[in-house]
Every structure is written in C-alpha cells, then in structure tokens.
C-alpha cells in the first residue's frame, strides 16, 4: 500500500516538475520571441535610417526621415534636430521637426527654437558628446526652461543624443513623450548608432555644398578672367599686328623677332584662358548623357587633330571601341586631349605611333590610348593631372598644362576614372574607365 502511495506521489511530483519545466521553456521561448521581435524592429529602424541617409542629397531630408522613423519606433509624439553652425560653432535649431499635433506642440516648438536660449538638454549633449535621458522635465525647472510649456502640452520624459563626426558633435536629436519612460541604455546605444550615421550625412553634405560652392566660384572666376583678360589681350594683339604692318619695313630682324615673341605670348595666354574656361565648365555644366559610340568620338577628335597628325607624320590605329553613356561633346574633348598629347609628346625624329583600344572590364568599359612617346616619370604621374602642371624638362613642347586636369574632371563627373601607366614598349598608356550603359 505504502509502495503504491509513494509511487503515486513520486509520479505527481514528476508531472509537476515536467509542467514547471514546460512553463519555463514556454516563458523563455516567448521572451526570446519578444527579444527577437524587438531586435528585428531595431534592425529595421537602423536600415530605414541608413537608406534615407544614403539617398539624401541634403541634410534636412535625412534628419526628417530619421526623426519620423525614431518617433514611429518609440511611438513618441515629438522629435527635433539641432545643428552646429559651421561658421560660429553654435548650436541652432534645424527647423526639422516631427510633431504629432502641430497646434498642441506649437508653444513647445517655439520655446525650443528661442534664438536667445538653447535648451539645457541639447546643450548638455553637446558639452559631453553623450546621449542623455530625462524622466521628468518638471523635476528640475531650473534646468528645463521648457518644463512649463512641456507640461502644458502634456510632455514629460525625453532623451537626446549627438550626431557625431568622429568624436565631434555636429548636431543633436531630441525626442519627447507624455508617458513615463525610464532610461533605457539599450535604446540609447541604438540611438548612438543613428547619431553616427547622421553625422556622416552632415559631413558628406557639407563637403558637397562646399565643393559646389568652390566649383561655382571657379566658374565665375573663369568667366570674369576670360572676359576681362580677353579684352586687353585682343588690344595687345591688335597693336602688335599694327606695328608689324605699318612699321615692318622700318624694323630690323631683331625687332621683328621681338614682335613674334609678343604674338606667341598673346596666343599662349589666349589658349590658357580658353582652357581655364573649359576646366571650370567641365565641373559645373550639365552633362547631356546619351548613348554614344566611342569610335565616333575618337574619329571626331582625330579630324580636329588632322594638321598635327599630318605635320608629325603620326600613325593612329583605332580598334573596336564600346558604346558608352556619356556627354558626347565633353568626352570627345577627353579624346582630343589624350590623342593630342600622344602625338605631341614624342622625341624629335620619332614618328608618333598611337593605338586606341577598347575592352570590357566587369560592368565597365575601358579605353586605352597607347603611345611611343617620351613617357612620364612614375614619380610625376599624379602631378601631370594637376592644374597648370607641366612636367620638368618638357619646355620644348607647347601646352597649357590643363588638358589632363580637364580630362580627369570630365571622366570623374561621368562616374569614371582616368589614369596613366608606362607602356611596356616605351611611352605611355592613358586609360579611362566608364560604367557601361
Ligand atoms: P599640356 O599638354 O597642355 O602641357 P596636359 O595637362 O595635357 O597639359 O599634360 C600635362 C603634362 O603631362 C604635360 O605637360 C606633359 O609633361 C605630360 N604628358 C601628358 N601627356 C603625355 C604623354 N602622352 N606622354 C608624355 N608626357 C605626357
């Protein structure tokens, strides 16, 4: 009898233990599922912010998308960004907000954008470079001058985190809610990652704006230079020609030689002005992209070089070239420069032999212009592409030193690359790579 009771007791205990184990396992599974779900949610948030950051072509849309996504993730009604003014280093409201209810939060927004007083929360984040959490703004009215308007709008808790470029904050994002919200280190860690992501956008877009500004400045300068310089230049050329025409018979050979130098100087300066203008335009004018046969562009460039080809007795062999997506006028200018150089930079007494060949390399087309010229010292290769770069010891060859700088600018604006390598048979190979259409 006792045996049976003991056995029943043992079985009951076992059953209970198994039930408990199953409950534990179910709780664990539910907990894991919740964690997984949250993780998934966090990953989605990071992905959405990253996608918006990559697509943005200005700072504000990237900030706007991040703020909307964070508010949706948290189910919080208010989000806002401050940016550091690069000129003064001061923190300024960006004007980018998410407000679930514009009327209800209008006074809070106005207090946040008060030009005379940047609120404590973003100021503190700027000073420490770290995120901060406030559970109740009403607790500390001395710090939170927005406490009153926040309470009136039903806002209580909030957090803020920096947008970082390396260790340097370039702005602050802040979010607010009406409910109780305890500090959440895991969430702040997630926000830190968003802060780094947005810091990159701020840096990238400021660089882009800076580059556009300096390109526009350069173009404006080039226009002014070309018009203002062209005028006195024309007058010098005119008077020198007049001098030769009217007084030519009274001048000796030496005087006529000086006049020839003056004319040469004027022509060189005119070429430099023209090239400067081309360089400026290569960075700013709109690209008119279309499908073009590179073979036709090369043929066009060779027509323009007809005299040089004949004078130098050059042989130019052109292989099969790919179809590209490019601005025909601009890309033909690149071939004109490369072929012109290939014909020009040969040793005296050597007939130029130039080969133009094409091949595909993955998703790109590659076109090479190989010559049997004087070659370029490998140490000078990068200098050759700089503005006004004329390599040492080449004074006998005429040029402005802008052709390669213009060509690289054009190719890079097409999303490609232009470089030079030594030709195994002597001379140089200039190669350009552009995405296939
Ligand atoms: P430019 O020919 O007007 O001087 P570029 O910008 O076209 O200016 O070229 C810059 C410099 O690079 C040239 O002055 C020359 O020294 C060198 N270079 C360019 N192309 C070649 C080439 N095919 N072979 C040798 N040197 C070259």
């Amino acid at each position: 009898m006792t045996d049976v009771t003991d056995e029943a007791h043992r079985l009951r205990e076992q059953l209970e233990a198994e039930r408990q184990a199953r409950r534990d396992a179910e709780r664990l599974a539910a907990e894991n599922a919740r964690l997984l779900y949250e993780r998934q949610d966090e990953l989605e948030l990071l992905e959405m912010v990253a996608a918006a950051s990559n697509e943005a072509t200005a700072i504000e849309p990237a900030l706007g998308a991040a703020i909307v996504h964070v508010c949706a993730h948290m189910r919080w009604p208010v989000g806002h960004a401050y940016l550091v003014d690069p000129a003064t280093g001061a923190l300024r409201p960006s004007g980018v907000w998410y407000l679930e209810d514009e009327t209800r939060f209008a006074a809070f927004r106005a207090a946040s954008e008060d030009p005379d007083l940047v609120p404590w929360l973003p100021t503190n984040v700027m000073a420490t470079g770290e995120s901060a959490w406030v559970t109740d703004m009403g607790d500390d009215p001395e710090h939170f001058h927005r406490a009153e308007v926040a309470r009136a709008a039903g806002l209580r808790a909030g957090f803020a985190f920096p947008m970082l470029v390396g260790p340097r904050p370039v702005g602050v994002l802040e979010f607010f809610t009406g409910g109780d919200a305890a500090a959440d280190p895991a969430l702040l860690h997630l926000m830190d990652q968003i802060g780094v992501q947005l810091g990159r956008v701020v840096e990238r877009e400021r660089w882009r704006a800076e580059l556009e500004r300096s390109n526009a400045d350069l173009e404006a300068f080039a226009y002014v230079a070309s018009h203002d310089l062209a005028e006195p230049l024309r007058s010098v050329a005119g008077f020198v020609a007049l001098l030769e025409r009217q007084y030519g018979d009274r001048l000796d050979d030496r005087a006529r030689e000086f006049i020839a130098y003056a004319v040469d100087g004027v022509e060189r300066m005119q070429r430099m002005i023209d090239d400067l203008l081309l360089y400026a335009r290569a960075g700013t004018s709109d690209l008119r992209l279309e499908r073009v046969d590179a073979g036709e562009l090369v043929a066009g460039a060779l027509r323009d070089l007809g005299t040089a080809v004949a004078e130098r007795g050059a042989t130019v062999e052109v292989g099969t070239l790919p179809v590209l997506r490019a601005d025909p006028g601009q890309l033909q200018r690149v071939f004109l420069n490369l072929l012109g150089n290939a014909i020009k930079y040969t040793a005296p007494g050597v007939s130029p032999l130039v080969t133009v060949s094409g091949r595909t390399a993955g998703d790109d087309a590659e076109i090479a212009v190989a010559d049997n010229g004087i070659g370029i010292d490998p140490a000078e290769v990068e200098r050759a592409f700089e503005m006004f770069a004329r390599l040492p010891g080449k004074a006998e060859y005429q040029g402005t030193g802008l052709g390669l700088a213009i060509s690289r600018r054009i190719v890079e604006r097409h999303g490609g690359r232009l470089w030079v390598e030594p030709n195994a048979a002597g001379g140089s190979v200039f190669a350009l790579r552009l995405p296939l259409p």
Side-chain angles (χ1 to χ4, degrees), residues 114-125:
D114 181 345
D116 299 324
L117 186 59
V118 180
W120 178 85
L121 185 61
T123 309
N124 187 45
V125 168

Side-chain angles (χ1 to χ4, degrees), residues 35 60 218:
L35 280 176
E60 285 74 13
L218 177 66

Side-chain angles (χ1 to χ4, degrees), residues 26 80 92 171 192 237 286 315 400 408 427:
E26 278 168 3
H80 170 224
R92 292 269 157 265
D192 285 343
D286 288 340
T315 310
T400 60
R408 181 171 267 182

Side-chain angles (χ1 to χ4, degrees), residues 252-269:
D252 61 9
D253 285 350
R254 223 167 139 60
R256 270 197 293 274
E257 193 186 338
F258 290 164
I259 288 180
Y261 284 139
V263 170
D264 184 52
V266 166
E267 283 172 356
R268 247 182 319 139
M269 189 148 172

